[in-house]
């Protein structure tokens, strides 16, 4: 949520901030802004350069590329509004009364109202409605010649989440950084340092980064940096090419096309077919503790929570461990009862989702074993869980999560085998699952071949305003995922519901204007799905089925069919979800939406 980039070094800061910000725009794109110290014309000589604008950077590209901004120290921000409307004055950087302190902030200051009231009484003049501005005035209040000291005192007074980068004209030649529950990293280049909320912004300059931990303050200067304690260097594993569109019109389409690769990357080197088992190095340190676990709570948000729900079915059916799923924002407030044999599994692409991290903190406080399934190496979730497995899906830039979901499902399938083989799962069953998993990347590639056909269906259905998505058992969460994806990027109303639930109320909405996407592979609940489809057809609702290749009968009862290859029932979600991702993509693209940056949303939700 919101993107931060900062630069200090021998080069001109502005072009570096601009290109970094463009790479971060997926984190928030309501408005953006820059502050560069020691700029020359078009700003007045020796006067800092401050620029803020409402809208997307791409829309202001012409204007920005004509700006000549000198100066080697700067910060920039792209915003996803939380407090205060989307206006120029609410855009970052924010500054204090005297225009000495400039700050960008990612996160939320929960007690900003009371701080603001107090500061106003002390004579501070606020310009914006944004919570972040209180930080500037507090720093101003505590500033006594040393910026980091003023930042330290300020942060003692605030509650909430923050990743901040601050510059002061009165203590120049440095940027002060601090973080709590919002990602922030420090990029170490040659004679230059960068700060960013995401590796994507620094990758063209350096692959050496330090992830700041909560409550840490760092100071970067043109020739050195210091943090209040020693930190290990981490290597960024992504390549620049992976973070670019490779000729696709949108990141989302590129990322869907990478779904087979996401499965392949997740399973590479981890399947042990002869042993009917898997090797998950990240779990080695807790392998013995895992044997004692008799209850699993999976916590995630959005798309990751649907992966967790598929995981719940897998873990109960094949590892025979009672499992339940909680969404991050609910877990900590429902006062869950847990004991020492419960383990928490946290599923998150970014590893920075505030709701999921809050649940993780809650579980850690209860002394429970915690495992992470994360895509981003070195993310807060990866650092704070006791152990975990990386999904290795590569950078996911589109706000709508697609390939990362496949990585999560493949990882949960492997975790099921891992835990199952520690318990009662027979060798033959383990072998069956891992050998089917090994075939999945190729099968997923086959599904992608239907893209042109799915695009035609999108043309046919794009003007409907409402959609149901239905599925049962392993595909019930996939119905929810299909619906979320469609509404998220096409702004059409869509709901995902378990096939058996329709008749308990939802069926009332069905008519010829309310199409249903029915996920009905040939599996143990196929007959039940057929009954549900017939209930819809009897009420005139159009139906698109996602069915198993070779099932010709289904054509007789539905309007359109998309075929997927046969695989094990527990693995079908990894194939059935692909057409749904493509369908949403094509509908949104045909409707002319900004597919990668849907309105009102942002990629990583780092506020609760
Ligand atoms: O980074 P995470 O996997 O923790 O993100 C969780 C959700 O915010 C995310 O999946 C969201 O629902 C996506 N925009 C869905 O496409």
């Amino acid at each position: 949520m919101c993107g931060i980039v900062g630069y200090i070094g021998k080069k001109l800061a502005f072009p570096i901030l601009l290109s970094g910000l463009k790479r971060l725009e997926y984190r928030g794109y309501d408005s953006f802004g820059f502050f560069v110290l020691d700029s020359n014309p078009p700003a007045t000589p020796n006067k800092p350069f401050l620029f803020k604008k409402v809208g997307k950077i791409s829309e202001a590209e012409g204007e920005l590329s004509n700006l000549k901004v000198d100066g080697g120290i700067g910060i920039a921000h792209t915003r996803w509004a939380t407090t205060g409307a989307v206006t120029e004055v609410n855009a970052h950087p924010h500054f204090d009364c005297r225009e000495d302190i400039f700050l960008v902030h990612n996160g939320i200051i929960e007690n900003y109202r009371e701080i603001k009231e107090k500061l106003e009484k002390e004579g501070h003049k606020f310009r914006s409605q944004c919570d972040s501005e209180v930080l500037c005035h507090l720093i101003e209040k505590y500033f006594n010649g040393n910026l980091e000291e003023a930042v330290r005192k300020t942060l003692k007074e605030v509650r909430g989440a923050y990743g901040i980068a601050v510059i002061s004209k009165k203590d120049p030649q440095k940027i002060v950084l601090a973080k709590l529950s919002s990602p922030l990293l420090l990029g170490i280049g040659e004679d230059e340092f960068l700060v960013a909320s995401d590796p994507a912004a620094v990758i063209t300059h350096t692959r050496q980064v330090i992830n700041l931990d909560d409550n840490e303050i760092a100071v970067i200067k043109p020739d050195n940096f210091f943090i209040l304690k020693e930190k290990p260097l981490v290597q960024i594993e992504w390549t620049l090419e992976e973070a670019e569109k490779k000729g696709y019109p949108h990141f989302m389409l590129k990322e869907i096309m990478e779904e087979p690769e996401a499965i392949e990357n997740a399973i590479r080197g981890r399947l042990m077919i002869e042993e009917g088992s898997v090797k998950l190095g990240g779990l080695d340190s807790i392998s013995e503790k895992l044997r004692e676990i008799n209850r699993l709570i999976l916590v995630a948000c959005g798309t990751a929570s649907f992966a967790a729900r598929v995981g719940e079915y897998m873990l109960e059916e094949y590892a025979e461990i009672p499992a339940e799923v909680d969404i991050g924002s609910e877990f900590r407030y429902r006062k869950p009862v847990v004991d020492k044999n419960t383990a928490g599994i946290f599923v998150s692409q970014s590893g920075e989702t505030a709701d999921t991290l809050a649940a993780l903190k809650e579980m850690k406080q209860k002394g429970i074993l915690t495992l992470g399934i994360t895509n981003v190496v070195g993310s807060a979730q990866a650092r704070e869980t006791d152990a975990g497995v990386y999904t290795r899906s590569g950078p996911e830039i589109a706000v709508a999560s697609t390939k990362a979901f496949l990585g999560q499902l493949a990882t949960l399938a492997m975790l099921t085998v891992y835990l199952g083989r520690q318990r009662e799962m027979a060798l033959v069953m383990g072998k069956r699952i891992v050998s089917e998993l090994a075939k999945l990347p190729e099968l997923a590639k086959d599904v992608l071949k239907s893209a042109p056909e799915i695009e035609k269906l999108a043309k046919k259905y794009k003007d409907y305003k409402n959609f149901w998505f239905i599925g049962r058992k392993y595909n019930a969460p996939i119905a929810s995922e299909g619906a979320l994806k469609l509404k998220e990027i096409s702004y059409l109303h869509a709901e995902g519901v378990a096939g058996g639930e329709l008749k308990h109320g939802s069926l009332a909405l069905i008519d010829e204007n309310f199409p249903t996407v029915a996920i009905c592979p040939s599996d143990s609940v196929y007959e039940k799905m057929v009954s549900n489809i017939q209930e819809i057809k009897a009420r005139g609702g159009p139906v698109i089925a996602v069915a198993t290749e070779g099932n010709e009968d289904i054509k007789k009862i539905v309007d359109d069919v998309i075929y997927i290859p046969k695989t094990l029932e527990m693995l079908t979600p990894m194939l059935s979800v692909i057409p749904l991702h493509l369908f949403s993509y094509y509908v949104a693209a045909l409707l002319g939406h900004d597919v990668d940056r849907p309105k009102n949303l942002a990629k990583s939700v780092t506020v609760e």
Side-chain angles (χ1 to χ4, degrees):
M1 199 72 69
C2 303
I4 288 179
V5 55
Y7 177 85
I8 190 162
K10 294 198 171 124
K11 298 184 189 136
L12 287 180
F14 183 68
I16 294 171
L17 297 177
L18 178 58
S19 72
L21 216 51
K22 280 196 222 155
R23 291 189 189 282
L24 292 189
E25 214 184 4
Y26 70 98
R27 297 183 74 98
Y29 33 83
D30 296 335
S31 51
F32 61 92
F34 300 85
F35 173 76
V36 180
L37 203 54
D38 295 326
S39 69
N40 285 325
T44 320
N46 302 322
K47 238 196 132 197
F49 168 79
L50 178 69
F51 182 96
K52 301 197 205 189
K53 202 167 177 84
V54 168
K56 293 175 182 150
I57 300 168
S58 46
E59 291 159 3
E61 199 126 23
E63 186 181 352
L64 292 169
S65 57
N66 284 331
L67 293 175
K68 295 230 172 326
V69 183
D70 290 340
I73 306 174
I75 49 178
H77 186 269
T78 177
R79 180 172 187 240
W80 182 83
T82 49
T83 313
V86 180
T87 60
E88 204 165 291
V89 80
N90 284 336
H92 300 223
H94 287 284
F95 43 95
D96 61 328
C97 304
R98 296 187 199 114
E99 299 187 28
D100 281 338
I101 314 273
F102 290 79
L103 168 144
V104 287
H105 168 223
N106 179 7
I108 191 155
I109 304 301
E110 285 164 359
N111 57 339
Y112 85 97
R113 277 198 193 83
E114 56 196 80
I115 298 178
K116 188 170 176 176
E117 249 171 52
K118 206 167 130 203
L119 287 169
E120 277 174 337
K121 279 188 195 138
E122 290 170 14
H124 287 261
K125 296 272 176 282
F126 281 76
R127 298 171 179 88
S128 75
Q129 293 74 48
C130 185
D131 56 326
S132 312
E133 195 185 340
V134 299
L135 296 171
C136 303
H137 293 271
L138 275 176
I139 296 171
E140 177 181 30
K141 174 175 164 179
Y142 291 121
F143 188 79
N144 206 356
N146 179 294
L147 183 60
E148 58 271 30
E149 190 48 25
V151 169
R152 196 183 61 79
K153 287 183 178 153
T154 293
L155 296 177
K156 283 193 169 158
E157 293 201 17
V158 301
R159 274 200 321 272
Y162 54 78
I164 56 170
V166 197
I167 296 179
S168 162
K169 290 198 284 187
K170 296 247 170 83
D171 187 12
Q173 302 300 312
K174 66 169 71 155
I175 306 178
V176 175
L177 323 171
K179 113 160 198 90
L180 178 67
S181 306
S182 257
L184 204 63
L185 60 86
L186 173 55
I188 321 266
E190 263 182 44
D191 294 328
E192 60 184 2
F193 296 95
L194 290 103
V195 53
S197 45
D198 188 313
V202 304
I203 200 165
T204 45
H205 297 273
T206 179
R207 304 178 75 78
Q208 304 237 297
V209 299
I210 288 175
N211 288 301
L212 289 190
D213 279 332
D214 280 352
N215 298 310
E216 279 185 344
I217 297 179
V219 179
I220 50 176
K221 297 183 168 189
D223 50 2
N224 66 5
F225 73 96
F226 61 90
I227 307 176
L228 300 187
K229 69 175 188 216
E230 277 295 300
K231 303 274 307 172
L233 272 181
V234 174
Q235 201 74 13
I236 300 175
E237 291 182 356
W238 303 344
T239 62
L240 182 61
E241 203 202 0
E242 277 180 312
E244 286 178 336
K245 280 191 207 155
K246 286 190 195 156
Y248 286 101
H250 296 102
F251 276 109
M252 182 177 176
L253 184 58
K254 174 196 164 237
E255 287 160 8
I256 298 173
M257 293 301 172
E258 289 170 349
E259 289 186 333
E261 212 178 300
I263 306 174
E264 205 165 337
N265 289 342
I267 61 177
R268 183 174 302 118
R270 288 170 165 171
L271 304 184
M272 302 194 293
I273 297 185
E274 281 317 302
E275 290 91 328
S277 190
V278 295
K279 168 141 189 54
L280 299 174
L283 302 186
D284 284 351
S285 61
I286 55 157
S287 158
E288 284 316 303
K289 280 191 193 156
L290 283 171
R291 286 182 195 279
E292 306 301 316
I293 295 303
N294 59 17
R295 179 179 168 211
L296 296 168
I297 302 180
L298 295 102
V299 183
C301 299
T303 285
S305 76
F306 305 137
R309 276 173 52 201
V310 175
E312 174 189 9
Y313 281 94
M314 291 177 180
L315 289 158
E316 293 208 321
E317 183 167 1
Y318 290 99
E320 295 182 48
I321 308 174
E324 62 203 70
V325 177
D326 247 297
I327 51 172
S329 53
E330 282 300 305
F331 178 80
R332 63 196 304 210
Y333 299 107
R334 77 170 171 95
K335 310 280 178 232
V337 179
V338 291
D339 65 22
K340 64 176 180 27
N341 293 326
T342 305
I345 303 179
F346 297 84
V347 187
S348 171
Q349 186 285 126
S350 61
E352 300 290 352
T353 299
D355 288 325
T356 309
L357 289 176
L360 169 59
K361 260 186 201 153
E362 182 73 17
M363 275 210 204
K364 285 182 82 169
Q365 254 166 27
K366 290 177 187 285
I368 294 166
L369 184 68
T370 57
L371 273 71
I373 294 181
T374 317
N375 190 31
V376 179
V377 175
S379 57
Q381 180 175 294
R383 297 197 306 273
E384 284 167 29
T385 38
D386 293 313
V389 186
Y390 283 117
T391 54
R392 307 171 178 163
S393 314
E396 191 182 65
I397 307 292
V399 165
S401 187
T402 54
K403 65 173 179 172
F405 184 66
L406 277 290
Q408 289 161 353
L409 292 176
T411 306
L412 284 158
M414 290 188 291
L415 183 65
T416 301
V417 175
Y418 184 96
L419 296 173
R421 294 289 285 138
Q422 280 189 331
R423 292 165 175 76
E424 302 293 314
M425 184 189 284
L427 171 66
V428 59
M429 179 53 78
K431 271 190 175 177
R432 219 170 131 208
I433 300 175
V434 290
S435 39
E436 285 299 318
L437 255 174
K439 291 183 204 153
L440 271 185
E442 284 309 309
L443 300 183
K445 281 183 197 157
D446 287 345
V447 180
L448 286 175
K449 289 183 191 147
S450 319
E453 208 183 303
I454 295 169
E455 188 175 8
K456 277 189 205 141
L457 285 182
K459 278 188 189 135
K460 176 173 170 188
Y461 287 93
K462 72 178 178 17
D463 296 320
Y464 287 90
K465 299 289 174 241
N466 300 289
F467 287 83
W468 282 117
F469 284 74
I470 60 167
R472 280 174 175 253
K473 204 175 169 184
Y474 285 103
N475 283 298
I478 300 305
S480 305
E481 165 63 4
L484 176 67
K485 210 90 318 164
L486 186 65
K487 62 187 149 195
E488 180 175 21
I489 56 169
S490 71
Y491 319 144
L492 299 175
H493 168 236
E495 284 187 53
V497 64
E501 267 296 290
L502 270 186
K503 58 187 177 294
H504 296 292
S506 307
L507 207 52
L509 289 172
I510 296 285
D511 63 18
E512 67 283 4
N513 296 315
F514 211 129
T516 299
V517 178
I519 310 150
C520 52
S522 305
D523 60 11
S524 66
V525 287
Y526 175 71
E527 298 298 334
K528 304 281 172 206
M529 278 300 296
V530 169
S531 307
N532 299 141
I533 291 170
Q534 273 158 345
E535 287 155 13
I536 296 166
K537 289 309 301 171
R539 285 153 185 90
V543 175
I544 308 170
V546 176
T548 305
E549 276 164 9
N551 178 358
E552 293 299 317
D553 286 349
I554 194 79
K555 284 187 179 160
K556 295 178 198 147
I557 51 171
V558 301
D559 300 81
D560 293 286
V561 189
I562 305 166
Y563 284 110
I564 56 169
K566 177 104 189 121
T567 182
L568 271 188
E569 179 173 271
M570 71 176 268
L571 304 180
T572 51
M574 275 181 263
L575 302 180
S576 61
V577 77
I578 299 175
L580 307 191
H581 284 168
L582 283 169
F583 182 73
S584 302
Y585 169 76
Y586 286 122
V587 169
L590 287 164
L591 292 175
H593 297 315
D594 185 346
V595 176
D596 288 336
R597 292 170 300 184
K599 66 180 181 190
N600 304 339
L601 301 178
K603 181 70 178 164
S604 301
V605 188
T606 54
V607 290
E608 264 196 78

